[in-house]
Structure formats: structure tokens, C-alpha cells
Amino acid sequence: MNITRENIDALNAVVKVDIAKEDYSDKIEKILSDYRKTANIPGFRKGHVPMGMVKKQYGKAVLVDEVNKLLQEGLNKYLTEEKLDVLGQPLPKTQDEIDWDAGDFSFEFELGFAPEFEVELKSKKPITHYKIVAGDKMIDDQVENIQKQYGKLISQSTIEKDSEITGTFKNEEKEIENTVTLTLDKFKGAANAKKFVGAKVGDVITLKTKGLYNDDHELMHALKIQHDEAHGLDIEVTFEVTEINKRELADLDQELFNKLFADGSVTSVSELKDKIKEDAEKQFVQQGDQKLLNDITEYLVDNTKFDLPAAFLQKWMQTAGEQQLTEEQAKEEYEKSEKSLRYQLIEGKLITDNNIQVTLEDIKGQAKNMIKMQMAQFGQMNPSDKELEDIAARVLSNQDEARRISEQIISQRLLDIYKEKANIETKELTYEDFVKEVYGDNK
């Protein structure tokens, strides 16, 4: 077998694979001899079928199979030995119908190479890393929510502004029927809330979904519909009132503190507020880090310039999926995925340059930490190491889950590198201000 390469440019090449008869003849003779021993052909005893008949019946199929195996093995070995960083897979060039009686064969493949480039992490303009803090209003609201959660329900005959109302949203056309408990402060504007005040059990209230809630995510949960469907939904729904209650707030006393923190760590309202602030800000760290990761990713994709073998990749995309694409479809698919491909290459470069490696022990340790946190949410504060090991083993037996955890570790290590090397400025603001600044009205 002989393999040669012709570089068309820095990103494209054609590889020619020549296979001679001596590369496969001995293997084919052995396979056909084995066939002869087991072939069951009428008129001949097992093992006594003439070799000529075996060759006539099975020869071409065996030849095609062995040449394809040689081709793939040889090509893969060549790419590895030559250390070629290819994108996609080698594409066989179109050729005339193969003469399988020729003995010697030649095949050509198109290759697309990953570009060479450098990554500059330090942007001229600093990238903001948000430090999100819990403001007084958020803490006070959370204290009130706790008081409501542990307070007493008092039945009411009519709806008042601070009532808790249970009922069912319906819309026949969209097949919506969902029972919820709601409060009027979630509605947008006073007009919708006003429709409820004074209503009794059994009353049916008609509402427009557009502009019903301050946050479309509330609408999604209220109607039990998909996320994308909730945004901009403009239909009419009815709400039948089935229960009306008023929540009497629980006293902020030691009995309540002990229900919340059984270890006795909270003995006053100020300590409760400190605890709420601490817990909230731990969660906000992840949001601030994710925003930073997103912003640096966008900066790197926009500012790390390199060419791609676009024509090759579009041609490869035509046959790479489960269904073959037309040239136009492949071009459209390439344009949609180009940004993602660019970041994959940038990320790969950063991983190599910074020698980021993820071991099985790293993945197992991350899995155990995640399991421990989940168990703590259900009150299991001190699981044994064996228990964690057993659960982690079950989780990691799922390859998709193991890959997801590995990707999490890589993202965290890249984030650590960004924090160390990128041009970052820290900005402290409350969660409410963070939402306004980053997302505007689209919460």
C-alpha cells in the first residue's frame, strides 16, 4: 500500500491511496479457504466444494470487503502517523465505477485541515465580571416569603388584594387546563388584579395572556406550557376560582428559626437575614461566572481570526448526518454551526496551550460532590464514602453523563484561566440591577 498527499493550500489536501494485489491476496485466499471448509452448497459434501466455485460465489464480496478494510485502516494510520489535524472526516472523491478485476486499485480522499492560530485573552476593553449581591429588598421579601410559607391559612369568602387564590386556567383551543395557586402581586398592572378582587368560589374570570404577568416565565408555569410558547402568547383564558385563603404570617421567633435551621445557628432576625444573604449570594456566584464565561466566549469568537475549509466542510455536512443534505441545505447548516465550530477550535487550542487534562478521578470527585449537594437538599447531610462511591459509579456508567461532568470541569478550569489572564473588571450590583442591566425587560 502506498499513500501520498498533495496539499492544495493550508486548509485543503487530497490523499491518494494505492492498494496493490499483494496487499490483500493472501488474506482473501485464507478467508475463501475458510469459507470452503464450511460452505453448504447442494451437490457437494461439506469441505469438498471446488475452490473455483467458492471464488465465483464469494470472491468479489470478500475482495470488496477486504479492500475497504485496508483502505480505512491505512488511511487512519496515515492520519495518525502524520499528525494531521483534520476537520470532519476524509471525503472520497467521485470516481468511475471500480473495476474489481483490475487487481490494483487507487482511491482519492479530500481532507480539510484545522487552521493554525493564536488566542489572545487580553481584550483592549475590559470584560465585566458581575459580583451579584442580595439587596435589602430581596432579603426582606425572602423573610416575608418564609413567614407566609410557615404561616396559617385562613379561609376567605371573597378575594382581597393579599389573598392566595386556587383555581384552574382553561383554553379549549390550546388544550390548556391547569390548576394553580396564585397571588395578585404577580400580575402586570392593576387592571388584571382588579378583576379578581371581590370574586367568590365558583366565579369564572376571563383574562388575556398578553401582558398578564410581569414575567413570561410565570405565565409558562401558570398555564403549564412550553418556554417558547409562553413568550408573546396572545390568547384568551378563563380562570375558575375553587379556593380563597389568606396567609397569616408566622412570627419571627425561635420556634420558626429552629424549623429553618435545626442546628440552632440562627437566634435572631438579623442572623436570619445574614443567612439568607449568604445563601443567595452563593447561588449568584454561578450566575456571575456563567455571564463572564458567555461574554469571553463571544469575545474570543469575534476576535480570534482564522480561515476554515468552508467548501470542504459544507460538502462533508451533506453526507455526515443521518439524512443526506442538498448543497443548499449543507450551506445553511454550515452557516448556523460556524460560530460553534470556531469556538470548539479556540477551546481546543486553549486546552492544549494550558495543558488542561481531566482524569477519571477528577470526574468521579466532581460526581461525588454533586451527589453530596443533592443529598443535602433532602436532609442527608453525612452520607458515607461507600454510599457516594456506589451512586457515583451508577451515574458514571452513563457515558453521556460522564461526558457532561467532564465538560463542566473543563469549563471551570477555562474560567479560572480567564479570571487569571483576561482583561476583567469587577462590577458589584444587586440581583435586580443585574437582571435589568444584562437582560433588560426579558427576565
Side-chain angles (χ1 to χ4, degrees):
M1 183 187 296
N2 185 45
I3 302 180
T4 55
R5 180 173 86 249
E6 179 189 351
N7 289 330
I8 297 168
D9 54 37
L11 298 174
N12 296 274
V14 173
V15 167
K16 185 179 180 185
V17 183
D18 294 319
I19 297 177
K21 191 171 184 178
E22 56 265 27
D23 293 327
Y24 61 80
S25 55
D26 289 347
K27 184 72 182 290
I28 287 177
E29 284 296 324
K30 184 179 183 311
I31 291 170
L32 291 175
S33 293
D34 291 340
Y35 273 20
R36 186 184 179 214
K37 294 172 188 175
T38 57
N40 190 5
I41 297 177
F44 296 95
R45 284 186 296 141
K46 206 173 205 179
H48 290 76
V49 180
M51 181 55 90
M53 185 173 285
V54 172
K55 284 184 177 180
K56 186 177 181 181
Q57 188 160 347
Y58 301 108
K60 184 169 283 190
V62 173
L63 170 65
V64 172
D65 190 44
E66 285 307 308
V67 168
N68 278 325
K69 282 181 184 175
L70 269 174
L71 192 58
Q72 291 305 318
E73 288 168 5
L75 193 55
N76 290 338
K77 185 179 178 185
Y78 175 80
L79 295 177
T80 302
E81 289 177 349
E82 293 291 309
K83 297 178 180 175
L84 297 177
D85 191 1
V86 297
L87 298 176
Q89 295 291 332
L91 279 177
K93 289 193 76 174
T94 305
Q95 61 187 99
D96 296 332
E97 190 173 338
I98 300 168
D99 179 7
W100 291 104
D101 295 323
D104 296 342
F105 308 99
S106 288
F107 303 90
E108 289 186 337
F109 293 85
E110 295 178 60
L111 301 182
F113 296 132
E116 293 185 4
F117 58 91
E118 295 301 321
V119 179
E120 177 54 63
L121 283 175
K122 278 206 178 294
S123 56
K124 290 181 182 178
K125 183 181 176 183
I127 296 171
T128 303
H129 184 205
Y130 291 96
K131 182 182 178 184
I132 308 166
V133 297
D136 291 340
K137 182 181 183 305
M138 172 178 273
I139 295 169
D140 290 341
D141 286 347
Q142 187 58 31
V143 169
E144 187 176 331
N145 287 337
I146 290 170
Q147 288 180 276
K148 286 180 179 178
Q149 184 182 344
Y150 287 89
K152 293 177 184 176
L153 276 179
I154 301 171
S155 180
Q156 293 179 293
S157 58
T158 58
I159 296 175
E160 298 176 7
K161 287 177 70 174
D162 58 353
S163 296
E164 283 189 15
I165 310 142
T166 301
T168 304
F169 280 109
K170 289 183 183 179
N171 177 285
E172 287 187 16
E173 184 185 347
K174 294 284 185 180
E175 297 182 347
I176 293 169
E177 184 170 344
N178 189 47
T179 300
V180 293
T181 297
L182 54 82
T183 53
L184 300 181
D185 59 313
K186 299 292 184 184
F187 289 139
K188 189 173 184 177
N192 287 312
K194 193 175 179 182
K195 292 181 181 181
F196 282 80
V197 175
K200 298 179 174 61
V201 170
D203 286 354
V204 176
I205 300 160
T206 301
L207 303 157
K208 287 277 192 182
T209 56
K210 189 174 182 180
L212 180 59
Y213 281 96
N214 289 311
D215 183 348
D216 280 342
H217 293 95
E218 295 279 358
L219 181 66
M220 178 181 78
H221 296 304
L223 304 186
K224 206 173 183 180
I225 55 177
Q226 296 298 315
H227 181 274
D228 292 343
E229 194 180 355
H231 288 286
L233 183 66
D234 187 7
I235 60 172
E236 202 170 74
V237 292
T238 59
F239 183 88
E240 183 178 355
V241 181
T242 56
E243 190 177 340
I244 307 166
N245 294 296
K246 185 174 182 178
R247 182 77 64 167
E248 185 180 85
L249 299 183
D251 292 332
L252 292 171
D253 55 19
Q254 195 60 48
E255 182 183 352
L256 176 61
F257 301 152
N258 289 342
K259 286 178 183 176
L260 298 169
F261 304 97
D263 60 358
S265 59
V266 172
T267 58
S268 66
V269 174
S270 62
E271 286 179 356
L272 173 63
K273 288 185 175 183
D274 288 344
K275 204 77 165 163
I276 290 169
K277 181 178 175 67
E278 180 186 344
D279 290 345
E281 290 177 358
K282 278 180 185 175
Q283 295 177 39
F284 295 156
V285 167
Q286 187 176 358
Q287 286 181 268
D289 283 352
Q290 187 59 54
K291 174 62 178 163
L292 177 64
L293 194 61
N294 293 345
D295 288 346
I296 291 182
T297 296
E298 190 172 339
Y299 159 76
L300 290 173
V301 171
D302 290 343
N303 293 277
T304 308
K305 305 298 182 184
F306 53 81
D307 292 326
L308 288 168
F312 167 83
L313 288 169
Q314 288 173 38
K315 193 184 292 186
W316 172 69
M317 284 178 173
Q318 283 185 259
T319 57
E322 290 181 8
Q323 291 185 331
Q324 189 152 331
L325 303 179
T326 65
E327 192 175 323
E328 190 61 37
Q329 287 172 328
K331 183 180 179 183
E332 189 178 325
E333 187 64 29
Y334 173 76
E335 288 170 354
K336 284 194 290 186
S337 59
E338 183 183 357
K339 201 168 184 178
S340 172
L341 174 58
R342 286 182 176 277
Y343 182 66
Q344 285 176 31
L345 292 169
I346 294 167
E347 185 181 71
K349 174 76 172 166
L350 288 167
I351 289 169
T352 301
D353 289 352
N354 292 279
N355 195 29
I356 295 175
Q357 297 177 4
V358 178
T359 65
L360 181 59
E361 285 305 309
D362 292 333
I363 296 171
K364 191 190 290 185
Q366 178 83 346
K368 286 166 71 173
N369 286 336
M370 287 166 55
I371 293 160
K372 198 170 183 179
M373 287 170 62
Q374 288 169 0
M375 293 176 77
Q377 291 176 357
F378 295 96
Q380 293 175 265
M381 306 305 294
N382 296 299
S384 68
D385 197 55
K386 184 182 184 310
E387 197 173 2
L388 291 173
E389 284 277 352
D390 290 345
I391 299 172
R394 288 199 296 275
V395 169
L396 298 180
S397 65
N398 182 325
Q399 289 187 351
D400 290 338
E401 190 64 22
R403 190 183 303 112
R404 188 182 68 81
I405 293 172
S406 176
E407 289 169 355
Q408 281 182 350
I409 296 170
I410 289 171
S411 287
Q412 184 56 54
R413 291 183 183 174
L414 284 172
L415 184 63
D416 293 340
I417 290 166
Y418 297 157
K419 287 180 179 178
E420 178 189 346
K421 298 182 178 180
N423 183 11
I424 293 171
E425 64 176 7
T426 301
K427 183 173 183 178
E428 183 176 302
L429 72 182
T430 65
Y431 179 74
E432 292 82 5
D433 288 340
F434 168 75
V435 171
K436 285 178 188 173
E437 182 163 321
V438 173
Y439 303 108
D441 291 331
N442 300 316
K443 291 191 276 184

